[in-house]
Amino acid sequence: MCGIVGAIAQRNVGNILITGLKRLEYRGYDSAGVALLNDKGITRVRRQGKVAGLEDAVTEVSAAGFIGVAHTRWATHGKPSEANAHPHMSGSDLALVHNGIIENFQELKDELQSQGYEFTSQTDTEVIVHLLHQVLETGVDLFGAVQQVVKKLDGAYALGVIHKSEPDKLIAVRSGSPLVIGLGIDENYIASDQLALLPVTNRFIFLEEGDQAEISIDGVRIVDADGDSVVREAHEFDGTHEDAEKGEYRHYMQKEIFEQPAAIQKTLEDRIDSPADLIKAFGEKAPAIFDQVKTVQIVACGTSYHAGMVARYWLEDIAGIPCQVEVASEFRYRKHVVPEGTLFVTISQSGETADTLAALRDTQSPNYVGRLAICNVDSSSLVRESELVFLTKAGPEIGVASTKAFTTQLAGLLMMVLALGRQKGLADSEIEKVLAEMRQLPNLIEQAASLDKPIEKLSEHFVEKHHALFLGRGVQFPVALEGALKLKEISYIHAEAYAAGELKHGPLALVDSDMPVVSVAPNDELLEKLKSNLQEVRARGGELYVFADKNAHVKEGEGIHVLNMPAVPETIAPIVYTVPLQLLSYHVAVLRGTDVDQPRNLAKSVTVE
Ligand code: AGP
C-alpha cells in the first residue's frame, strides 16, 4: 500500500527520499511523487508508474531541497494518475503526503468547495491539505494547524507535511496508519516503514496512535491525541541493512524462500529446549492466560489465514482444544458467539493489516481470556495492542508473496499448540517427541528447497496454462490452498485448491488434459485415500504433479509427474511441503515474465479495508 518518506537536513534530501521510496516499492503502488523545499520554494514532481521514472524526472528538473516529503500511492480514491499522485498541495507553499483513508472526505470536500477551494485530484487526501491551508490563513503555525485539522478527520491516516514559511519543520502524524521517525545526526526522517530509512539510520521512534510530531534537524517534539507533550523512547533496529537487500538472488521472493531454514532456526532458537520452556516465548502473562483457555479463535487474512487453518488441525488433534478460524474481513462484520475461555489469536506478517487489526480491536467480550498476536514485526500495531505476543523471527519479508513469514508462523503456531496442550495435561514425553521433530525443520526445509532445479523444469509445463488445481487432504488441505494462492498471485494463473475428498463433489468436472493438478502427498494416514483421489483425476485425463514422500510409493507414469520429498514426520509435514509449492509458483512466474516481487494490483501490507 502507500508509502511515506520524509527528511529534514542541512543537505539535499532528494536522494534520501528517492532511495527510501525504492525501498518501499515492495508494498505495491501505482504512482510516486516528491516535494522538495529550498530557498526558492517547493518543487513538486509526480509520475505515474515506477519510482525509477520519478527519479529521472527529479534529475531532469534538478529538484533539490533540505526538507521534503515523498510518497508511493496505491490507488483507493481516484484512478492511478499523475494528478492523483501525492504530494498534494494547497497553493504553492504547502505540501502533504498521506497514507490511509479519510472516511468523511466527501462532506469536508463539499464544504471546502463551497468556500472556493478548487480540487485538482479525485483523492480523499486533497481535503486535508486544503483544510490545513484554511487554518494556516488564520495565523496559526504549521504544527498547531495540523493539530486542529486532524480533529476533523475520520478514518485512518499517517501524514507528512512541509510548508515554505516554516522550512525548519517537518510535521508527522500517526492515526491508524503506521509511521516511524528515524533519528540521524543533525538530520531526521519519517517513513511508513523503518526499512525505508535503513541506509541513513538504525535508530527509530515508533509513534503511538494519535501522536503528532514536529521534527527539526536536531530535535523531535511529540504530542499525543489529547495534545499533551509525550516522550517516546528511541529503539535500535535489530538486524542489518543487508537483511532487506536482494543479495545474489534474482528476486526477493527467491531469496526469502531459500532463507527459510535460517528463519525457522532463528524463530525456534532458545525457545524449544524443553516442554517447560515453550510458554516463555508468548510473554509473561502467558501462563496465567493459557491456563484459562478452553477454546481458540484464530483471525487472519490471506497466507496468514492459511497458517491459522493448519493450526486448527494441530490444536484439535494434538492438544484436544476446539478451534475456529476465520478471515478477518468476515469475522469483523458478523455477530459471533464467543464461548467462555476463548483465546483470540491474530496472525500477521506485517502486524498492520487493517481487517485483522479491526477484528482485534473488537474483542470486548469478557469471554475472551486473552489476545495473542503471532507476528513478524515487533513495532507493529498488532503487537502493541495484544497482551500476548509470539514474534516470528523471519526478518524483513519484501516480496509481496509471503513465504518465510508463513513457515515461521507455522513454527510459532505449533509451539502455541504444544504450550496450550501442556497446560491441558499433554504429556511432556509427547511434547518432547514433536520438539525433536521441530529441531529437524531447518534441515528438512533445506532438503525440500534442494528440489529447486527439478521444480524449475516442471514449471515449464505450467507456462501456457490458464488454470490449475491443487489438492491436499487433512492438514495438507491448507497447504494446497496456500500453493494455489501463491500461483495465482505471482503468475496470474487461475488456481483453486480443494480438499482432495471434495473433488468428486464438483471440481472433477473441470479436469481434462488442459488442467494440471498439483498434489502434496506426505506419508500420512490419509495417503491411501489421496492416492484414490489422484486416480480419479488420472482417469479423466488430468495431468498430475505430485510432491510425494519418498516412501509413499507414488509411481511416476504417463500423466503422473512425481517429485520425491524427504521423509518428513507427519506433524511438521505442512511446513516442509509448503516449500516446493512456493518454488513451483516462483519458477512459473519467472517463465511467464511477471513482476514476481510486486505482482499487479497487490500490496504487501494491506492497511486499508
Ligand atoms: C500472501 O502471499 C499475501 N500477499 C497476502 O495474502 C497476505 O498474507 C495478507 O495480506 C495478510 O498479510 P499479513 O500477514 O501482513 O497480515
Side-chain angles (χ1 to χ4, degrees):
M1 302 248 126
C2 305
I4 287 178
V5 188
I8 179 163
Q10 288 164 310
R11 57 177 171 140
N12 176 22
V13 296
N15 202 23
I16 299 174
L17 300 185
I18 295 289
T19 306
L21 288 188
K22 283 186 178 165
R23 294 174 69 87
L24 292 181
E25 283 190 299
Y26 76 94
R27 294 165 71 98
Y29 69 103
D30 45 59
S31 53
V34 60
L36 288 157
L37 169 63
N38 61 23
D39 305 339
K40 297 191 189 91
I42 293 178
T43 309
R44 173 175 66 169
V45 187
R46 298 179 294 175
R47 286 294 178 273
Q48 199 181 329
K50 295 287 179 190
V51 175
L54 174 72
E55 185 177 22
D56 291 344
V58 167
T59 313
E60 214 168 283
V61 298
S62 308
F66 41 82
I67 175 168
V69 284
H71 192 264
T72 45
R73 173 173 187 261
W74 189 83
T76 56
H77 295 65
K79 61 181 189 207
S81 70
E82 197 168 310
N84 287 332
H86 301 212
H88 287 284
M89 296 185 70
S90 191
S92 55
D93 295 346
L94 177 66
L96 171 141
V97 289
H98 162 223
N99 281 3
I101 288 179
I102 304 303
E103 282 163 6
N104 57 338
F105 88 98
Q106 194 57 57
E107 59 195 80
L108 294 170
K109 185 170 178 175
D110 293 345
E111 204 178 310
L112 285 160
Q113 279 175 324
S114 71
Q115 290 158 359
Y117 278 95
E118 276 180 24
F119 282 73
T120 57
S121 78
Q122 302 155 315
T123 65
D124 51 339
T125 303
E126 204 179 342
V127 298
I128 316 173
V129 76
H130 291 317
L131 281 173
L132 268 175
H133 182 271
Q134 197 176 47
V135 179
L136 285 164
E137 290 290 283
T138 65
V140 181
D141 70 354
L142 185 60
F143 195 32
V146 168
Q147 290 176 58
Q148 283 190 32
V149 166
V150 294
K151 291 200 177 85
K152 298 186 178 174
L153 306 177
D154 292 339
Y157 47 88
L159 306 175
V161 192
I162 56 171
H163 192 276
K164 186 183 169 190
S165 64
E166 293 184 56
D168 53 346
K169 300 278 166 11
L170 168 63
I171 308 297
V173 178
R174 177 198 173 132
S175 183
S177 233
L179 200 72
V180 298
I181 298 175
L183 302 171
I185 298 168
D186 286 338
E187 52 187 52
N188 289 312
Y189 329 92
I190 58 168
S192 41
D193 184 330
Q194 57 185 344
L195 291 181
L197 301 175
L198 288 182
V200 281
T201 187
N202 67 348
R203 291 182 63 229
F204 297 96
I205 292 175
F206 298 100
L207 293 176
E208 303 268 324
E209 280 304 297
D211 280 357
Q212 298 141 36
E214 183 185 62
I215 301 155
S216 55
I217 53 169
D218 53 4
V220 175
R221 180 158 78 97
I222 303 174
V223 298
D224 64 15
D226 300 324
D228 296 327
S229 288
V230 284
V231 176
R232 305 281 182 224
E233 216 185 312
H235 299 266
E236 270 194 20
F237 176 71
D238 173 27
T240 66
H241 186 7
E242 288 73 36
D243 288 348
E245 306 292 336
K246 230 182 305 189
E248 75 213 41
Y249 291 94
R250 187 166 167 195
H251 296 100
Y252 282 109
M253 181 186 179
Q254 185 189 28
K255 176 185 175 235
E256 287 156 7
I257 291 172
F258 284 97
E259 274 176 349
Q260 289 178 110
I264 296 264
Q265 177 72 36
K266 220 173 161 204
T267 299
L268 298 180
E269 214 160 52
D270 298 330
R271 287 170 157 180
I272 58 165
D273 292 342
S274 76
D277 280 343
L278 281 170
I279 204 162
K280 293 182 190 158
F282 297 86
E284 276 172 24
K285 296 184 188 154
I289 292 177
F290 278 17
D291 253 351
Q292 305 168 56
V293 174
K294 294 191 183 134
T295 172
V296 173
Q297 173 69 61
I298 300 178
V299 170
C301 301
T303 289
S304 297
Y305 165 68
H306 294 154
M309 286 181 76
V310 173
R312 180 175 60 182
Y313 283 90
W314 282 336
L315 263 168
E316 303 210 346
D317 182 28
I318 302 173
I321 297 174
C323 175
Q324 301 282 337
V325 192
E326 194 163 344
V327 288
S329 53
E330 286 300 313
F331 183 83
R332 62 179 289 197
Y333 286 118
R334 73 174 181 85
K335 278 196 186 145
H336 40 266
V337 179
V338 183
E340 205 188 307
T342 300
L343 177 66
F344 186 80
V345 179
T346 52
I347 309 170
S348 173
Q349 188 288 127
S350 61
E352 301 294 348
T353 301
D355 285 322
T356 310
L357 264 173
L360 169 68
R361 289 171 183 157
D362 192 24
T363 51
Q364 285 86 17
S365 163
N367 287 350
Y368 288 117
V369 292
R371 290 145 202 84
L372 164 65
I374 301 210
C375 188
N376 196 37
V377 182
D378 194 6
S379 55
S380 64
S381 307
L382 206 66
V383 165
R384 281 188 288 118
E385 295 178 35
S386 304
E387 57 258 62
L388 300 181
V389 173
F390 178 92
L391 276 180
T392 51
K393 298 191 178 173
E397 190 181 69
I398 309 290
V400 162
S402 195
T403 52
K404 59 177 181 171
F406 179 68
T407 45
T408 53
Q409 284 166 354
L410 290 180
L413 285 161
L414 187 48
M415 281 179 63
M416 175 194 83
V417 169
L418 297 176
L420 280 170
R422 191 166 191 265
Q423 303 294 108
K424 302 276 150 248
L426 183 64
D428 276 358
S429 55
E430 290 296 308
I431 297 174
E432 195 45 80
K433 194 171 142 266
V434 181
L435 293 184
E437 294 173 2
M438 290 177 81
R439 290 181 200 115
Q440 298 175 44
L441 270 169
N443 184 286
L444 287 167
I445 290 178
E446 206 162 295
Q447 289 183 46
S450 71
L451 292 174
D452 187 45
K453 282 287 162 227
I455 293 174
E456 185 178 5
K457 191 90 202 92
L458 213 62
S459 66
E460 291 166 13
H461 296 227
F462 290 74
V463 182
E464 302 295 333
K465 302 290 183 196
H466 298 290
H467 309 276
L469 276 182
F470 284 70
L471 302 180
R473 286 202 77 135
V475 71
Q476 294 291 341
F477 168 47
V479 173
L481 282 167
E482 176 57 11
L485 177 66
K486 286 287 91 82
L487 189 70
K488 65 186 131 188
E489 82 181 316
I490 60 167
S491 75
Y492 316 149
I493 292 174
H494 170 231
E496 295 300 333
Y498 286 92
E502 267 295 291
L503 206 58
K504 55 176 107 42
H505 299 288
L508 201 54
L510 296 169
V511 173
D512 61 14
S513 56
D514 268 344
M515 175 69 87
V517 180
V518 181
S519 178
V520 276
N523 201 0
D524 60 19
E525 57 179 18
L526 290 171
L527 177 65
E528 292 312 316
K529 305 251 174 253
L530 179 73
K531 281 182 180 172
S532 311
N533 300 140
L534 298 184
Q535 287 310 322
E536 292 160 12
V537 172
R538 206 42 222 127
R540 271 90 192 163
E543 197 89 353
L544 279 165
Y545 300 85
V546 190
F547 296 96
D549 187 296
K550 63 180 180 191
N551 301 320
H553 307 296
V554 181
K555 295 257 171 310
E556 177 100 23
E558 208 200 322
I560 308 187
H561 311 267
V562 180
L563 273 188
N564 279 324
M565 292 281 286
V568 182
E570 192 174 332
T571 304
I572 58 166
I575 309 180
V576 182
Y577 274 76
T578 298
V579 177
L581 301 187
Q582 295 168 341
L583 285 168
L584 179 66
S585 48
Y586 172 74
H587 287 299
V588 175
V590 170
L591 286 178
R592 284 170 68 95
T594 58
D595 191 342
V596 172
D597 286 329
Q598 294 160 44
R600 68 184 181 202
N601 307 337
L602 298 181
K604 179 68 183 162
S605 178
V606 184
T607 50
V608 294
E609 265 195 64

